[in-house]
Amino acid sequence: MRSDSLKDTELLVFLNEAPNRNELRGIILYPQMFIYRILSPKIQEVGQDEFVISIFNREKNFQFNSAKGSPVKTIQQERSLWIFPEYKVGITIKGKTIEEVVRDRAVTNIVMISLLALILIIGVWIVYRNVKREVELAQIKSDFVSSVSHELRTPLALISMFSETLEMNRVKSDEKRQEYYSIISQEANRLGRIVNTILNFSKMEAGKRKFQFEEKDLNEIVEQMFSNYKFHLKNKNFQFDFFPGENIPKVKTDQEAVSEAIINLIDNAVKYSDDKKEIIIKTGTDYNFAYIEVADKGIGISSEDQKKIFDKFFRVSTGLVHNAKGTGLGLTLVKHIMDAHNGKIRLKSKLGEGSTFILLFPIKLNT
């Protein structure tokens, strides 16, 4: 039999042998007609918008594509159509060949594996950094306990020794007796400052420290601290000066807390001054801020350590700083006090040339 329109001469006959009857039953299939009418809808349903499925016979120059009008690249994967072995079935991904898709996916997989490896490395680094930080903090706390213990023992030992000497009347001259009284007073004040620092830090850590804000004149606060420290610093051969600014508006401050911040800055200036014993305090205004500036001519702070000096327990471990006594809490408390005032701290320092701390109090909050 023959189909003139499709020029198809191939056929397939299914035989069925009926019992007790001499009959043959079968179906004649024209391959190309079968492809167009039967397979075509199924192929188009399977292919949809992602694939182009082709059925072809190169000898008869026949090819059917599931997507009409779509350019089909060279078919690289093909299999025989089981019902018509001389016809082949091929598949092509739209826009790309299978090899291109495999290659792209391989690149994507490599990128994903690289990203996962990078994330893993970053995670390990973060864990390592945190563990290292915890170890360093534990060491710093241990050093803090040791330092505070020493800081407490030293004034107690001096107070005990000189008071016992005076009590036993071993000092005969009034001049020497007055010197011992002065030492006992200085060490008692020092002991009181250490205890207050630890107590204030404990309150700060627990979030229990309360501030009493009132309209205050910064010049008056600084003048009082200057008067209290002037005699003590001159006895230590320090040049100690105060230059008050003019027309400074009052700001809302806790006078006790601001005094504590100034004391901590002065104490640091004293501890870390070497040959040039000079401390200068200034007040003034800078745009929307009133400020207190404490400057010294001491050893200075390196740019690397400037990022850490407000961290609790931090102390530089080299040079004169290593030999100076302290708890490592003074500047942490200063930072906490300024945060409570919605203020800022500026630091200007250079190794060998001294340091300048500027406490900035906002004026605009008081209008």
Side-chain angles (χ1 to χ4, degrees):
M1 302 184 70
R2 183 180 185 84
S3 171
D4 295 331
S5 60
L6 295 177
K7 298 181 181 179
D8 193 351
T9 59
E10 299 184 32
L11 56 85
L12 177 65
V13 179
F14 290 90
L15 300 178
N16 182 19
E17 191 172 324
N20 303 321
R21 300 175 68 179
N22 296 324
E23 294 182 1
L24 289 178
R25 299 178 182 180
I27 299 174
I28 300 175
L29 296 178
Y30 297 95
Q32 295 180 18
M33 185 179 294
F34 177 79
I35 291 169
Y36 277 113
R37 294 182 181 179
I38 307 300
L39 292 184
S40 171
K42 300 296 182 182
I43 290 174
Q44 291 173 350
E45 181 181 346
V46 172
Q48 296 184 355
D49 296 329
E50 299 181 7
F51 304 98
V52 176
I53 300 176
S54 302
I55 299 178
F56 56 92
N57 186 324
R58 292 189 179 91
E59 293 180 0
K60 297 185 177 182
N61 196 25
F62 169 81
Q63 181 168 341
F64 167 79
N65 298 325
S66 61
K68 296 181 180 180
S70 297
V72 181
K73 297 184 179 182
T74 303
I75 297 173
Q76 298 175 347
Q77 298 292 331
E78 59 183 61
R79 293 291 185 273
S80 295
L81 187 61
W82 67 273
I83 197 169
F84 300 118
E86 59 272 16
Y87 285 80
K88 306 292 184 183
V89 178
I91 184 171
T92 304
I93 298 177
K94 286 187 177 181
K96 292 183 179 180
T97 64
I98 294 176
E99 284 73 11
E100 289 172 339
V101 171
V102 171
R103 184 170 60 251
D104 291 346
R105 289 186 179 179
V107 172
T108 302
N109 290 339
I110 292 172
V111 171
M112 292 297 296
I113 292 172
S114 300
L115 287 175
L116 289 174
L118 181 61
I119 292 171
L120 181 61
I121 292 171
I122 292 174
V124 171
W125 178 78
I126 291 174
V127 171
Y128 167 76
R129 186 186 64 175
N130 290 339
V131 170
K132 182 182 178 183
R133 177 61 180 165
E134 289 299 320
V135 171
E136 290 175 349
L137 187 59
Q139 182 61 46
I140 289 172
K141 287 182 178 179
S142 176
D143 294 341
F144 165 74
V145 172
S146 176
S147 176
V148 168
S149 299
H150 177 76
E151 285 277 280
L152 293 173
R153 281 199 303 266
T154 301
L156 285 173
L158 290 173
I159 291 171
S160 177
M161 181 181 67
F162 285 109
S163 59
E164 182 180 345
T165 301
L166 291 169
E167 185 181 17
M168 297 179 69
N169 294 320
R170 294 179 180 176
V171 181
K172 304 303 180 182
S173 67
D174 290 339
E175 183 180 351
K176 202 69 174 176
R177 189 178 295 111
Q178 189 62 39
E179 180 184 346
Y180 283 9
Y181 285 138
S182 177
I183 292 173
I184 291 172
S185 177
Q186 290 176 14
E187 293 302 319
N189 289 333
R190 176 184 166 192
L191 185 61
R193 288 197 302 273
I194 295 171
V195 172
N196 285 335
T197 296
I198 296 172
L199 290 176
N200 288 333
F201 174 74
S202 177
K203 290 179 181 179
M204 180 191 76
E205 285 287 275
K208 296 181 179 180
R209 183 166 185 180
K210 304 298 181 183
F211 295 90
Q212 301 297 326
F213 295 101
E214 298 178 357
E215 296 279 348
K216 293 292 182 180
D217 186 336
L218 292 183
N219 281 338
E220 291 180 3
I221 298 175
V222 177
E223 182 65 45
Q224 182 178 346
M225 301 308 304
F226 177 75
S227 299
N228 293 342
Y229 269 76
K230 180 169 58 176
F231 178 76
H232 172 68
L233 290 179
K234 287 191 175 179
N235 282 341
K236 288 179 171 288
N237 298 318
F238 272 88
Q239 178 184 336
F240 187 42
D241 297 305
F242 170 44
F243 300 101
E246 297 180 355
N247 302 320
I248 301 176
K250 291 184 177 181
V251 294
K252 283 186 178 179
T253 61
D254 182 313
Q255 181 169 346
E256 181 182 347
V258 174
S259 299
E260 181 185 346
I262 296 171
I263 290 172
N264 277 313
L265 294 179
I266 292 175
D267 281 347
N268 276 353
V270 172
K271 288 176 186 176
Y272 305 131
S273 290
D274 196 3
D275 297 329
K276 296 180 180 179
K277 298 181 180 294
E278 180 180 333
I279 300 174
I280 298 174
I281 302 179
K282 296 179 183 179
T283 56
T285 57
D286 183 4
Y287 294 101
N288 293 324
F289 292 91
Y291 67 81
I292 300 173
E293 176 182 304
V294 180
D296 63 61
K297 300 293 183 182
I299 61 174
I301 306 168
S302 69
S303 57
E304 181 180 352
D305 289 331
Q306 288 179 30
K307 303 173 185 177
K308 306 175 184 177
I309 57 170
F310 296 106
D311 295 345
K312 57 186 177 184
F313 309 123
F314 178 78
R315 300 187 72 218
V316 180
S317 58
T318 57
L320 182 62
V321 180
H322 182 64
N323 298 324
K325 300 179 178 67
T327 60
L329 296 178
L331 291 178
T332 303
L333 288 172
V334 173
K335 178 69 166 57
H336 175 71
I337 290 169
M338 294 309 299
D339 287 344
H341 284 77
N342 292 316
K344 302 177 182 179
I345 303 177
R346 286 182 190 162
L347 171 59
K348 302 175 183 177
S349 186
K350 193 173 182 180
L351 285 176
E353 297 183 8
S355 302
T356 300
F357 288 87
I358 304 173
L359 308 181
L360 296 152
F361 300 87
I363 297 174
K364 59 183 179 181
L365 298 180
N366 306 287
T367 58

